[in-house]
Amino acid sequence: MQDKELVLLAIKAAENSYSPYSNFKVGAALLSKSGKVYLGANIENAAFGETICAERTAFLKAISEGERDFVKIAVVGSKTDDFSGPAAPCGSCRQVMAEFCSPDFEIILKDGSEIKTHTLSELLPLSFTKTAMD
Ligand code: THU
C-alpha cells in the first residue's frame, strides 16, 4: 500500500476522534504484515489522564485481533480539518510501537502538502525493549 493511501485512511480515521476537550483530532492507519489496515482515533476523557491516543487505539485494536507484525503507520492530527501537520506520535505511543515493531518500522507524517517518512529508530533512539531483560 502506498504511503499516500495510508495517510488518506488516517484522515478518515480522524473523523471518529472523540476530542471535546482539546478539539485536536488525531487519526492513525496501521498496516500489518498480513495486509490489513487498522484505524484509530484519539479518545478523550473528562479525567484527562485516561485519554487514549489515535496510534495506541490502532495498535490495541490490531494486537487484540491477533496481529503481531507491522509494516508502517500513518498519523495525522489537526485542530482544523486540513491536517497540515506534522503531528508526531507522543512518547507513550513510540514506546508501544517499540514493543511490537522493528527499528525500521515506518511512521508516515503529513507536513503541509508533503508526506514524510521516519523510522521508529529515528523517533525513539536508544529505546528500552524486551532485549534489555534477556
Ligand atoms: N494525541 C494523539 O492522539 N496522539 C499523539 O501521539 C499525541 C496526542 C491526542 C491526545 C489528545 O486527545 C490530543 O491529541 C491532544 O493532546
Side-chain angles (χ1 to χ4, degrees):
M1 171 172 295
Q2 301 283 321
D3 290 357
K4 197 175 169 194
E5 207 180 330
L6 209 58
V7 167
L8 290 175
L9 288 171
I11 291 172
K12 182 109 192 97
E15 281 175 18
N16 289 326
S17 164
Y18 175 74
S19 43
Y21 305 104
S22 71
N23 292 311
F24 190 76
K25 291 183 182 177
V26 184
L30 172 64
L31 177 66
S32 71
K33 279 195 184 152
S34 71
K36 269 193 173 180
V37 176
Y38 293 85
L39 302 183
N42 54 331
I43 304 168
E44 297 186 345
N45 193 282
F48 294 169
E50 309 317 317
T51 291
I52 302 179
C53 293
E55 300 90 318
R56 273 177 289 159
T57 302
F59 266 95
L60 298 187
K61 279 172 72 180
I63 291 155
S64 60
E65 295 291 324
E67 298 282 3
R68 290 292 183 272
D69 298 306
F70 301 99
V71 182
K72 54 187 174 180
I73 190 170
V75 185
V76 300
S78 185
K79 271 207 157 182
T80 57
D81 283 338
D82 67 351
F83 294 103
S84 53
C90 77
S92 299
C93 290
R94 293 178 197 199
Q95 184 64 27
V96 168
M97 290 174 194
E99 184 67 27
F100 294 99
C101 304
S102 55
D104 63 352
F105 176 73
E106 289 180 344
I107 296 150
I108 301 150
L109 305 176
K110 202 166 168 297
D111 190 358
S113 58
E114 275 185 73
I115 289 173
K116 291 193 175 153
T117 302
H118 306 269
T119 61
L120 180 58
S121 59
E122 255 181 82
L123 298 193
L124 192 66
L126 207 66
S127 58
F128 182 77
T129 61
K130 50 183 175 278
T131 57
M133 292 175 283
D134 285 347

